[in-house]
Amino acid sequence: SSVAAEEEEEDLIDVYFGCGCFWHVQHEFVQAERSLLSRPDASLTSRAGYAGGKAGSLNGKVCYHNAANVSDYGKLGHAEVVSLRIPPSKFEEFALEYCKLFDEKGFRPDQFGDRGGEYRNLVGVPGGSKSTYAELLIRASKRTGDKLDFAVGKGDDGDAAKVVFVMDTKEFPFFKAENYHQFHDGFNWGEDYSREYNALAGMFKKMGEDFGDCPNGMVGLGVGGL
């Protein structure tokens, strides 16, 4: 397809988007990869994970809340995000999908449920706030009602309603989440996704993808109580 040809001609970029719990966000970006890039399942790049903390990783890993307190992403200053690899020419279209995650007042879907730095709004792009991608992100916001404000992400940022922190992916890289968080049902009513979608987590694991060796999540912490 012409989209596939475009992908081959362009050097792909790694970006990430955060807007509350990463489960719903991942599903929406998988849909975007399918519709905007015509990607088959095995080529999907959307992955749930963590980013935005000054500390980076601890002992080589970043983990969900767990009973052993191993490399807890919240304590490391990270937020829940979804990373994907896309052609630069398509960034604004993906930014539009991100802006559509917010309601007409600029609130994210779980604004009054999940609160705190782990759920803050952030977007990671090469070059951060001084990049062309930041300009495209702002333009996408204006095209969808101009309901968001943007701030320079400095790391360990707080959770501010209607504010999106723009991060430099070189300074604040993405850390992939555990396999059990990938392609998970959302937390809201109506966000029970298809079995085929949920099965992608196992498919990528069978294909040999590394999802780290963090311990299983702690019951009662986080949206899913995982």
Side-chain angles (χ1 to χ4, degrees):
S1 72
S2 60
V3 172
E6 279 179 35
E7 282 203 59
E8 288 178 12
E9 289 172 13
E10 288 186 72
D11 288 331
L12 303 184
I13 56 168
D14 290 303
V15 297
Y16 57 75
F17 298 91
C19 174
C21 177
F22 47 22
W23 294 339
H24 172 67
V25 178
Q26 184 179 28
H27 180 264
E28 297 310 295
F29 278 109
V30 164
Q31 296 298 88
E33 284 192 83
R34 287 169 169 164
S35 63
L36 298 175
L37 300 177
S38 303
R39 283 179 172 165
D41 286 354
S43 298
L44 294 169
T45 64
S46 293
R47 296 292 185 275
Y50 315 106
K54 293 178 181 177
S57 62
L58 180 62
N59 298 323
K61 61 184 79 175
V62 177
C63 303
Y64 194 67
H65 309 304
N66 58 88
N69 244 344
V70 173
S71 305
D72 184 298
Y73 81 99
K75 293 180 179 177
L76 293 172
H78 295 298
E80 297 188 9
V81 300
V82 171
S83 174
L84 57 160
R85 182 166 289 179
I86 58 175
S89 63
K90 295 289 184 180
F91 177 77
E92 187 173 357
E93 291 184 63
F94 280 89
L96 282 169
E97 294 303 312
Y98 175 70
C99 292
K100 290 175 187 174
L101 295 172
F102 298 86
D103 70 16
E104 66 279 359
K105 294 181 180 177
F107 294 129
R108 61 177 182 257
D110 59 352
Q111 188 73 56
F112 304 105
D114 287 326
R115 303 185 192 184
E118 294 99 324
Y119 304 106
R120 64 188 183 270
N121 310 318
L122 71 171
V123 174
V125 293
S129 61
K130 293 183 172 65
S131 69
T132 305
Y133 302 114
E135 295 174 15
L136 294 172
L137 179 62
I138 292 168
R139 191 163 79 183
S141 176
K142 289 179 177 175
R143 287 175 61 187
T144 51
D146 202 13
K147 56 207 174 185
L148 299 170
D149 288 320
F150 296 88
V152 177
K154 297 178 180 177
D156 298 0
D157 302 291
D159 182 13
K162 308 182 187 182
V163 174
V164 177
F165 294 98
V166 182
M167 317 301 296
D168 186 334
T169 50
K170 186 176 181 181
E171 188 177 357
F172 299 99
F174 169 79
F175 299 93
K176 194 189 302 180
E178 299 84 344
N179 184 258
Y180 68 82
H181 276 309
Q182 307 296 335
F183 309 101
H184 197 290
D185 288 339
F187 57 89
N188 280 334
W189 292 107
E191 291 180 358
D192 292 332
Y193 306 128
S194 70
R195 287 184 181 179
E196 290 79 10
Y197 174 77
N198 299 147
L200 291 171
M203 183 193 80
F204 284 112
K205 194 172 184 179
K206 283 182 182 175
M207 287 170 64
E209 185 170 335
D210 183 8
F211 291 95
D213 60 352
C214 285
N216 277 340
M218 194 159 130
V219 172
L221 284 178
V223 169
L226 286 170

